[in-house]
Amino acid sequence: MMPIKILLVEDSPTQAAISKHDLEAIGPQIEVQIVHTAAEAMIRFRRYNMALDLMILDLTLPDGSGLDICRAVKADGQTRAIPIVIFSMEALSTHRQSAYAAGADHYISKGATGGTTLKLVASTLLRKKLRKLPRLGEALITRGFLTIDQLQQALNAQEAQPLLLGQLLVEKGYITQPQLQEVLEMQQRGEI
């Protein structure tokens, strides 16, 4: 199965790394590509426009505005269905109104709960595609690498230890890194 591709346009390397980590935690097939400028975003968009599942745009970029990118995506008949989330420090209602007028699907202000909200909105927007993907735990059980009891113990431990499920299963010794890699590769090829 093809990965779910998110284009993250964020000029802050720190914020980009945090957002990438949060978004990739949604599921094993999530692939986040980061660009830091409007120019890079437009180049990447033109190259991958039909393959993108979600765009997350900072409002203020060193060489332009996320709104310009949003308008370009929404103006193209082939790409207007790509969901766009504006994720910005700008919290004024005029910024929100401008974003929605440009065609944004959601506007999230960065801040104390911004990252959690972004993850929730992204998973909601990608829900249909995520449902089609086999669950990692189910795939590991199907391959005989993991028992249901081990999966339940790992899921319970995951609540106290915010790691990706695969990382946690390896750390707990329930599966090996090669087993995890094998199942993830099989999922990517659509074999399970």
Side-chain angles (χ1 to χ4, degrees), residues 94-180:
T94 55
H95 293 114
R96 287 180 187 281
Q97 291 168 357
S98 296
Y100 289 123
D105 296 278
H106 290 279
Y107 189 102
I108 301 169
S109 295
K110 295 176 186 173
T113 60
T116 303
T117 305
L118 178 63
K119 188 174 175 180
L120 176 65
V121 168
S123 63
T124 300
L125 290 170
L126 298 169
R127 182 180 333 139
K128 187 181 284 184
K129 195 155 189 177
L130 285 167
R131 273 196 213 136
K132 294 178 185 175
L133 299 175
R135 296 271 189 216
L136 177 62
E138 293 170 9
L140 288 164
I141 290 168
T142 301
R143 297 285 301 146
F145 295 149
L146 187 68
T147 68
I148 293 173
D149 289 338
Q150 290 171 325
L151 176 60
Q152 186 59 52
Q153 289 169 7
L155 291 171
N156 291 340
Q158 193 177 30
E159 292 176 14
Q161 197 173 7
L163 290 175
L164 292 175
L165 180 60
Q167 292 172 316
L168 187 62
L169 291 168
V170 170
E171 188 175 289
K172 294 243 177 236
Y174 294 145
I175 61 171
T176 64
Q177 187 65 40
Q179 289 172 328
L180 174 62

Side-chain angles (χ1 to χ4, degrees), residues 6-170:
I6 299 174
L7 180 61
L8 173 62
V9 184
E10 172 60 60
D11 61 335
S12 164
T14 303
Q15 182 64 56
I18 291 167
S19 295
K20 178 180 171 69
H21 177 268
D22 289 346
L23 292 164
E24 288 180 342
I26 294 170
Q29 266 67 19
I30 301 286
E31 187 178 288
V32 179
Q33 301 171 14
I34 298 172
V35 295
H36 301 286
T37 67
E40 288 177 300
M42 290 310 295
I43 290 168
R44 190 69 56 98
F45 164 67
R46 287 185 183 110
R47 188 179 305 151
Y48 298 110
N49 65 5
M50 297 308 289
L52 288 177
D53 297 295
L54 175 64
M55 290 183 77
I56 300 170
L57 307 171
D58 192 354
L59 193 61
T60 52
L61 298 164
D63 63 339
S65 168
L67 295 180
D68 295 332
I69 301 165
C70 184
R71 283 186 199 99
V73 172
K74 295 300 184 174
D76 186 328
Q78 292 185 323
T79 60
R80 75 172 46 122
I82 296 172
I84 295 179
V85 175
I86 302 292
F87 188 48
S88 179
M89 289 298 291
E90 308 297 335
L92 296 175
S93 63
T94 55
H95 293 114
R96 287 180 187 281
Q97 291 168 357
S98 296
Y100 289 123
D105 296 278
H106 290 279
Y107 189 102
I108 301 169
S109 295
K110 295 176 186 173
T113 60
T116 303
T117 305
L118 178 63
K119 188 174 175 180
L120 176 65
V121 168
S123 63
T124 300
L125 290 170
L126 298 169
R127 182 180 333 139
K128 187 181 284 184
K129 195 155 189 177
L130 285 167
R131 273 196 213 136
K132 294 178 185 175
L133 299 175
R135 296 271 189 216
L136 177 62
E138 293 170 9
L140 288 164
I141 290 168
T142 301
R143 297 285 301 146
F145 295 149
L146 187 68
T147 68
I148 293 173
D149 289 338
Q150 290 171 325
L151 176 60
Q152 186 59 52
Q153 289 169 7
L155 291 171
N156 291 340
Q158 193 177 30
E159 292 176 14
Q161 197 173 7
L163 290 175
L164 292 175
L165 180 60
Q167 292 172 316
L168 187 62
L169 291 168
V170 170

